[in-house]
Amino acid sequence: MTSTERRVVLFGGAGVVAGGVFGSGCAPAAEHPSGSASAASSASATRHAAAVPRAAPAPRRFPGLPAQVDHGPRDRPRVALTFHGQGDPGLARTLLSAAEKHGARVTVLAVGSWLDAHPEMARRILDGGHDLGNHTQRHIDINAMSEADARAEITGCADRLHRLTGSIGTWFRPSRAARASPLVARLAGGAGYPHVLSYDVDSLDYTSPGADAVTRTILGQVRAGSVVSLHFGYPDTAAALPAVLTELDRRGLSAVTTTELLS
């Protein structure tokens, strides 16, 4: 068990203890009208449960899959739209809302420094039913770093995700690279991520080619099992997404989270 996994276990245990304190504490029955003590205690416990969101899903190991995953099964009509999570949170919300309007779920690989600036986005992503993962702390070329610096990039973002959601996130994707170097893949595994998430379709939306070009690039390459790379923070991406989702629906391809794609 890694140190990060131990923190997840400890966090879960602390949550159980805290729940017991808030749920069971009540004043002596003599201080309440008959029957009101249990009702008040129950109402207090209900309010507390609603105020504390459940912990986010943890990473999973998928038997038979390689350490680096770039697509899912080709025999099922599903695709995963994955977003590099940084940039204008307003555009991020627009993209998430557009996906949800179409009944789609996506995967967001969040940058730690972006979560520092916009911590509310972690819960917004999870509350929409989407996957949330780790895209390093500062989004610089992790494959070119020393072992110590690369480890810090992975665990720095993992710690922020854990603090905000109770989980280190479901996936890790390297920054500034489609695939992780052997060193970075090993460090990700040591941090608690059994698989590195790559992709087989690059939308090239970060080049700002226009919404029509983004749409053509995705639809020209996507097929059953594809993992598509997209980005928050680019207006072209937000403008293209409704047309992409509509055409995926027409082709009978469901946009699901990466976890669903591989399950």
Side-chain angles (χ1 to χ4, degrees):
M1 180 178 289
T2 67
S3 60
T4 301
E5 289 171 328
R6 283 195 293 272
R7 287 195 296 271
V8 173
V9 172
L10 290 172
F11 180 95
V16 171
V17 173
V21 170
F22 281 91
S24 63
C26 59
E31 296 181 12
H32 299 274
S34 176
S36 65
S38 60
S41 176
S42 176
S44 175
T46 300
R47 285 194 301 272
H48 177 68
V52 179
R54 63 181 178 82
R60 285 176 52 186
R61 182 177 299 280
F62 291 85
L65 288 185
Q68 300 207 51
V69 177
D70 55 15
H71 67 83
R74 298 298 191 187
D75 59 351
R76 286 185 284 177
R78 297 176 175 181
V79 299
L81 304 180
T82 67
F83 290 83
H84 301 239
Q86 63 176 348
D88 179 5
L91 278 175
R93 293 188 187 95
T94 296
L95 284 159
L96 294 170
S97 295
E100 292 155 10
K101 181 179 179 180
H102 281 260
R105 297 294 177 263
V106 304
T107 300
V108 180
L109 293 312
V111 176
S113 59
W114 185 69
L115 292 175
D116 288 339
H118 309 288
E120 74 285 353
M121 290 305 302
R123 186 52 52 184
R124 169 64 184 88
I125 292 162
L126 292 171
D127 286 348
H130 311 289
D131 271 358
L132 178 62
N134 178 333
H135 196 37
T136 76
Q137 177 57 23
R138 295 175 293 164
H139 199 258
I140 55 183
D141 187 358
I142 192 169
N143 285 343
M145 292 181 181
S146 69
E147 180 171 348
D149 288 345
R151 180 183 290 109
E153 282 293 307
I154 297 168
T155 59
C157 186
D159 289 345
R160 282 153 177 79
L161 285 165
H162 184 265
R163 185 179 69 244
L164 291 170
T165 72
S167 165
I168 63 171
T170 47
W171 300 98
F172 169 76
R173 173 173 285 169
S175 49
R176 305 286 183 179
R179 296 181 66 81
S181 68
L183 170 63
V184 170
R186 176 171 62 80
L187 293 174
Y193 301 97
H195 305 282
V196 173
L197 181 59
S198 183
Y199 47 86
D200 65 329
V201 177
D202 189 347
S203 69
L204 301 176
D205 58 347
Y206 59 89
T207 66
S208 299
D212 289 345
V214 172
T215 302
R216 285 195 303 270
T217 298
I218 295 171
L219 297 177
Q221 301 177 43
V222 71
R223 57 189 175 121
S226 283
V227 176
V228 184
S229 172
L230 296 137
H231 293 75
F232 282 169
Y234 290 90
D236 291 349
T237 311
L241 187 60
V244 169
L245 290 169
T246 297
E247 179 60 16
L248 291 176
D249 286 344
R250 191 190 71 79
R251 297 181 187 183
L253 295 172
S254 299
V256 298
T257 67
T258 304
T259 300
E260 291 171 315
L261 181 74
L262 299 175
S263 296

